[in-house]
Amino acid sequence: MPSRQTVSSKRSAVIKALAHPSRLLIAEALMGGEMCVCDLKDLVGADMSTVSKHLSIMRQAGVLVSDKRGLNNYYRLACDCLGDFLRCLDQLAPRNVKTKPCC
Amino acid sequence: MPSRQTVSSKRSAVIKALAHPSRLLIAEALMGGEMCVCDLKDLVGADMSTVSKHLSIMRQAGVLVSDKRGLNNYYRLACDCLGDFLRCLDQLAPRNVKTKPCC
DNA sequence: TGTCTATTTGGCTAAATAACCAATTTGTTG
DNA sequence: CAACAAATTGGTTATTTAGCCAAATAGACA
């Protein structure tokens, strides 16, 4: 069984993979179904190589899976629990005052 | 109402606040109840100033709330949906092979 | 008030991350 | 096989982030 340390760093990698705005945008887009890299490039608006590296990070963390069909590489979410996750996030409003929890 | 852009960057900030191993460790520890900075310093094993900066990031992102009682500053989770969140993460096993979703 | 304790803030350096361009890989199709 | 398309990888530079030390705050209490 995995040690606490292993589990913790695994979790960190997954969160890190979602922490970049472009990567989060990609994850949100993929909630609607799989997309190929060139479509994601248009969505993000960055160089394809940049997008490819983002996708690589997300795939290595286990957030995405991909398969190649024809000329294109299609990516999709590895798990559909992401939706709940994002809804959870939205309950946390950013605040710099002390005290007063959100929920 | 907030724009898509605003919501997206807000989410990013929250995720970023949890993406660092020490900060995730802190969040996990606080699931068991509030703790003061000095206890968290022992937990993380870093300089108190470092821990304080981590806490500041998490508080600004809305993940934590704090209040001072006596000499100590106590921190706790702003929301208890974090538990579900972490359980969700654990479903995502890191893999570098292509295809084969986890769930 | 002066001192002690807990915490935060400022400043600096080292390390990690992101972005682009160029070059390479992999598979397609004429 | 040659030319092409989609995507990845390598290399470089700029930006961001993390960590420590030292200094500053804020409150408790003798």
Side-chain angles (χ1 to χ4, degrees):
Chain A
M1 86 187 86
S3 67
R4 256 198 81 185
Q5 183 60 27
T6 303
V7 170
S8 179
S9 59
K10 187 183 295 187
R11 283 173 167 176
S12 270
V14 172
I15 301 177
K16 226 179 261 187
L18 293 167
H20 188 284
S22 298
R23 294 201 289 263
L24 183 57
L25 184 62
I26 289 170
E28 290 170 342
L30 293 181
M31 286 176 64
E34 68 176 12
M35 294 174 76
C36 69
V37 182
C38 53
D39 289 339
L40 290 169
K41 161 184 142 29
D42 291 341
L43 174 77
V44 171
D47 195 88
M48 176 171 281
S49 69
T50 300
V51 175
S52 177
K53 280 172 183 172
H54 280 312
L55 292 170
S56 170
I57 289 168
M58 296 172 86
R59 186 160 49 73
Q60 282 213 312
V63 174
L64 302 184
V65 292
S66 67
D67 65 313
K68 188 161 193 173
R69 292 198 303 273
L71 278 175
N72 301 303
N73 236 350
Y74 291 90
Y75 280 83
R76 61 181 184 282
L77 294 179
C79 181
D80 48 29
C81 58
L82 256 314
D84 297 331
F85 165 44
L86 295 178
R87 272 181 287 282
C88 164
L89 287 183
D90 288 339
Q91 295 181 39
L92 301 164
R95 61 188 72 245
N96 33 23
V97 295
K98 302 201 172 190
T99 67
K100 195 176 167 193
C102 71
C103 54
Chain B
M1 84 187 88
S3 67
R4 258 199 81 183
Q5 184 60 28
T6 303
V7 169
S8 179
S9 60
K10 187 183 295 187
R11 284 172 167 174
S12 271
V14 172
I15 302 177
K16 223 178 264 184
L18 292 167
H20 187 285
S22 298
R23 294 200 289 264
L24 184 56
L25 184 62
I26 289 171
E28 290 170 342
L30 293 182
M31 286 175 64
E34 68 176 13
M35 294 175 75
C36 70
V37 182
C38 53
D39 289 339
L40 291 169
K41 160 185 143 29
D42 292 341
L43 175 76
V44 171
D47 194 87
M48 176 171 282
S49 68
T50 299
V51 174
S52 178
K53 280 173 184 173
H54 281 312
L55 292 170
S56 170
I57 288 168
M58 297 173 85
R59 186 161 49 73
Q60 282 213 313
V63 174
L64 303 183
V65 293
S66 67
D67 64 315
K68 189 160 193 174
R69 292 198 302 276
L71 279 176
N72 300 303
N73 235 351
Y74 291 91
Y75 280 83
R76 61 181 184 282
L77 294 179
C79 183
D80 47 29
C81 58
L82 256 315
D84 297 331
F85 165 44
L86 295 178
R87 271 181 289 280
C88 164
L89 287 183
D90 287 340
Q91 296 181 38
L92 301 165
R95 60 190 71 247
N96 33 24
V97 295
K98 302 200 171 191
T99 67
K100 195 175 167 194
C102 72
C103 56

